[in-house]
Amino acid sequence: MNVPATVLNFGHELSFQAKEQLSLKFGQCNEIMITFAIDRRRPVIQEVSRIVETSVPQSILAGTQPFVVALPSLSIGVSTLLAYLHGRIGYFPKVLDLMRDKQLGVFLINDIIDLEYERSRARRKRSKTNGRRSCERNSQED
């Protein structure tokens, strides 16, 4: 059974074809367009916080409504947005991987990446190593 989902779109509006793809996957899919305009003279985290807190429905921030994220194009905005959403909802969201279809001239859904799943998978790999992080200093090297 398909579970309805909301797309938090911080980028460009999805094409008709991409919306059709999401409808096949989720059944009903609601796109919320969120203007991701950051004043670069202000701290990025303050700007991202303002955008999320004023634009994202409380049911999503409370973790009671399924959603996927269409990411903005500003790289520092993407990383800060993902960190902020993780802090608010307690896990990393699913994100859309959009790819341009040259024949149609529009962006289509290439994949939906479950960032929380990928994080967990990567952590399992870390636990199989010697447990030492690459950024840790060896006390004998001092």
Side-chain angles (χ1 to χ4, degrees), residues 50-70:
R50 174 187 55 79
I51 292 167
V52 170
E53 298 299 335
T54 60
S55 304
V56 176
Q58 282 302 115
S59 58
I60 288 176
L61 294 177
T64 60
Q65 182 180 345
F67 72 100
V68 295
V69 176

Side-chain angles (χ1 to χ4, degrees), residues 66-112:
F67 72 100
V68 295
V69 176
L71 296 168
S73 58
L74 181 65
S75 61
I76 189 66
V78 170
S79 56
T80 307
L81 174 65
L82 291 174
Y84 192 83
L85 286 173
H86 182 278
R88 286 292 270 126
I89 62 174
Y91 59 91
F92 284 107
K94 294 177 181 169
V95 296
L96 298 179
D97 174 16
L98 300 172
M99 187 169 71
R100 186 168 185 78
D101 182 295
K102 292 179 182 178
Q103 290 181 326
L104 295 175
V106 297
F107 284 89
L108 300 176
I109 309 295
N110 185 52
D111 196 5
I112 299 172

Side-chain angles (χ1 to χ4, degrees), residues 33-48:
M33 291 300 304
I34 299 173
T35 302
F36 198 79
I38 291 181
D39 181 348
R40 298 293 289 148
R41 296 169 296 183
R42 296 175 44 104
V44 174
I45 188 60
Q46 287 179 6
E47 291 292 283
V48 169

Side-chain angles (χ1 to χ4, degrees), residues 1-65:
M1 181 171 101
N2 294 340
V3 177
T6 297
V7 176
L8 297 179
N9 191 337
F10 295 92
H12 297 287
E13 185 174 358
L14 296 176
S15 66
F16 172 79
Q17 294 88 340
K19 289 176 185 178
E20 285 289 310
Q21 288 178 288
L22 290 172
S23 292
L24 291 173
K25 173 111 176 126
F26 295 111
Q28 182 182 347
C29 200
N30 177 35
E31 180 180 20
I32 299 175
M33 291 300 304
I34 299 173
T35 302
F36 198 79
I38 291 181
D39 181 348
R40 298 293 289 148
R41 296 169 296 183
R42 296 175 44 104
V44 174
I45 188 60
Q46 287 179 6
E47 291 292 283
V48 169
S49 173
R50 174 187 55 79
I51 292 167
V52 170
E53 298 299 335
T54 60
S55 304
V56 176
Q58 282 302 115
S59 58
I60 288 176
L61 294 177
T64 60
Q65 182 180 345

